């Protein structure tokens, strides 16, 4: 078999099996691969959802987890495509709006994120940011 410089097989020839194909070829490999990819994808999604209200790439990690799951599960691929379409539709809609609607949407997003951070800190560590802020106001 002739392999081109970019690693792709020439026209009419099949490419060598990838690592996933070699794992699937072993007894129990297909199930093991699905379990490992399922666990990794789910951990990424849960971790991303935990990061969403905090500074950082929360939604990016959620979408990356869906992309990992989509390599093995057709339902995850469909969900990822649906999420992409929803995000694109929302951003396109927001781009078409005037500055007032954009500012209100940004403030609502900031208020939701602040509320999530406040609830998370209060329930997990017993820290009440509102009470602490009131101590600084005369």
């Amino acid at each position: 078999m002739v392999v081109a410089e970019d690693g792709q097989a020439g026209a009419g020839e099949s490419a060598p099996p990838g690592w996933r194909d070699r794992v699937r070829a072993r007894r129990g490999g297909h199930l093991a691969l699905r379990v490992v990819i399922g666990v990794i994808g789910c951990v990424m999604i849960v971790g991303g959802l935990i990061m969403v209200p905090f500074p950082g790439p929360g939604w990016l990690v959620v979408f990356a987890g869906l992309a990992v799951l989509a390599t093995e599960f057709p339902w995850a691929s469909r969900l990822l495509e649906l999420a992409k379409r929803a995000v694109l539709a929302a951003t396109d809609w927001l781009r078409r709006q005037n500055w007032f609607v954009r500012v209100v949407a940004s403030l609502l997003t900031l208020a939701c994120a602040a509320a999530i951070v406040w609830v998370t800190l209060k329930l997990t560590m017993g820290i009440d940011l509102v009470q602490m802020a009131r101590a600084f106001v005369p």
Side-chain angles (χ1 to χ4, degrees):
M1 173 172 70
V2 177
V3 177
E5 286 184 37
D6 62 358
Q8 298 296 321
E13 298 185 26
S14 62
W19 67 270
R20 283 193 283 180
D21 294 328
R22 290 191 302 268
V23 170
R24 284 189 190 111
R26 296 187 174 157
R27 196 171 129 210
H30 183 70
L31 179 61
L33 183 64
R34 287 178 68 91
V35 168
V36 168
I37 288 180
V39 168
I40 290 171
C42 288
V43 166
M44 288 176 71
I45 289 172
V46 169
L49 289 174
I50 290 170
M51 289 191 294
V52 165
F54 300 105
W59 284 113
L60 181 64
V61 175
V62 170
F63 287 131
L66 266 177
V68 167
L69 288 174
T71 63
E72 278 298 312
F73 302 101
W75 62 265
S77 182
R78 290 189 302 270
L79 183 60
L80 183 60
E81 288 303 316
L82 176 72
K84 284 181 191 177
R85 284 195 306 271
V87 168
L88 286 174
T91 55
D92 288 343
W93 177 84
L94 196 57
R95 279 191 198 122
R96 291 191 308 267
Q97 303 308 309
N98 62 27
W99 66 271
F100 181 75
V101 173
R102 291 181 186 184
V103 169
V104 169
S106 298
L107 291 175
L108 285 173
T109 302
L110 184 63
C112 286
I116 291 170
V117 169
W118 175 72
V119 168
T120 302
L121 289 175
K122 185 166 175 91
L123 294 178
T124 59
M125 295 191 276
I127 298 172
D128 190 353
L129 293 176
V130 173
Q131 212 170 33
M132 291 172 68
R134 285 184 183 163
F136 291 110
V137 177

